[in-house]
Amino acid sequence: MFRRRREAAARPDRDFDDVTAVVLVDEHEFTAWRCARSREISTLRRIAAEALIVQDDAEQLLREIRERGPLAELAPRGGRLTSRFVALAAALPASRDPQVQRYGARMREVLDHHALMVSASLDLLAVAWRSDRLENELDRITGLGRPAQRLEDLRMDLLLES
């Protein structure tokens, strides 16, 4: 790491106009940071993988809610799925690394959305019989929407992350 800087400094033809900051880091601290970041990315990958599996189950549940399946059968499944989304969000690593923080924030948004969508859809199914407007709202449930795709994209980004 330091050798490359000395080599670059020895070449006067090198243009350093694009350098905004130079940070000197102890090699042990750098190694510890890389190890911590690697563990955090690995944790994010595992959470994203499980979230995609739970997401598939939630999509199926939402289809059954739209078809007016029996609440007594759907509610326990929905409760487990909602709880799992919340637990996955709680398991996201707290990191000092800005990139890991961004990944975690994006994933938390998706997991929170999914938990809310499942819970609200079950609530709607419970009261939809009361009016035509609520019945129409049930018909509008088409799944988890764009956040589901964002989770898939996020997982792909994490798989490419080093």
Side-chain angles (χ1 to χ4, degrees):
M1 181 164 92
F2 296 110
R3 186 176 338 132
R4 280 189 239 138
R5 286 191 189 137
R6 276 189 244 126
E7 290 170 3
R11 294 190 342 233
D13 59 322
R14 171 124 172 135
D15 184 16
F16 291 102
D17 291 340
D18 61 343
V19 175
T20 56
V22 175
V23 179
L24 299 177
V25 179
D26 180 81
E27 285 188 55
H28 297 294
E29 287 179 27
F30 181 73
T31 302
W33 172 81
R34 292 278 298 184
C35 288
R37 184 176 194 282
S38 178
R39 278 192 311 273
E40 291 164 350
I41 293 291
S42 182
T43 299
L44 287 171
R45 286 180 183 143
R46 283 193 304 274
I47 290 171
E50 183 178 345
L52 282 174
I53 293 168
V54 178
Q55 176 175 284
D56 289 344
D57 293 343
E59 291 275 3
Q60 176 61 37
L61 179 77
L62 292 174
R63 282 191 291 277
E64 292 176 40
I65 289 172
R66 183 173 188 217
E67 295 166 0
R68 284 31 170 218
L71 184 61
E73 292 176 17
L74 300 179
R77 286 177 39 213
R80 285 189 297 274
L81 292 171
T82 300
S83 294
R84 195 63 205 141
F85 284 129
V86 170
L88 289 171
L92 291 170
S95 177
R96 295 185 336 185
D97 183 281
Q99 186 65 28
V100 173
Q101 289 174 355
R102 281 189 290 276
Y103 283 132
R106 287 171 50 200
M107 197 174 307
R108 184 177 310 282
E109 280 180 19
V110 171
L111 295 170
D112 289 348
H113 166 270
H114 287 7
L116 182 60
M117 184 68 184
V118 169
S119 178
S121 296
L122 285 167
D123 290 345
L124 184 59
L125 178 62
V127 298
W129 58 271
R130 293 182 180 174
S131 76
D132 289 338
R133 172 139 171 114
L134 293 174
E135 289 283 342
N136 291 338
E137 290 301 317
L138 264 183
D139 290 333
R140 293 182 58 204
I141 296 173
T142 58
L144 294 170
R146 284 188 154 158
Q149 183 59 51
R150 283 201 302 265
L151 180 60
E152 291 179 22
D153 295 344
L154 181 57
R155 178 155 188 266
M156 291 306 298
D157 290 348
L158 286 166
L159 290 174
L160 298 174
E161 187 71 36
S162 57

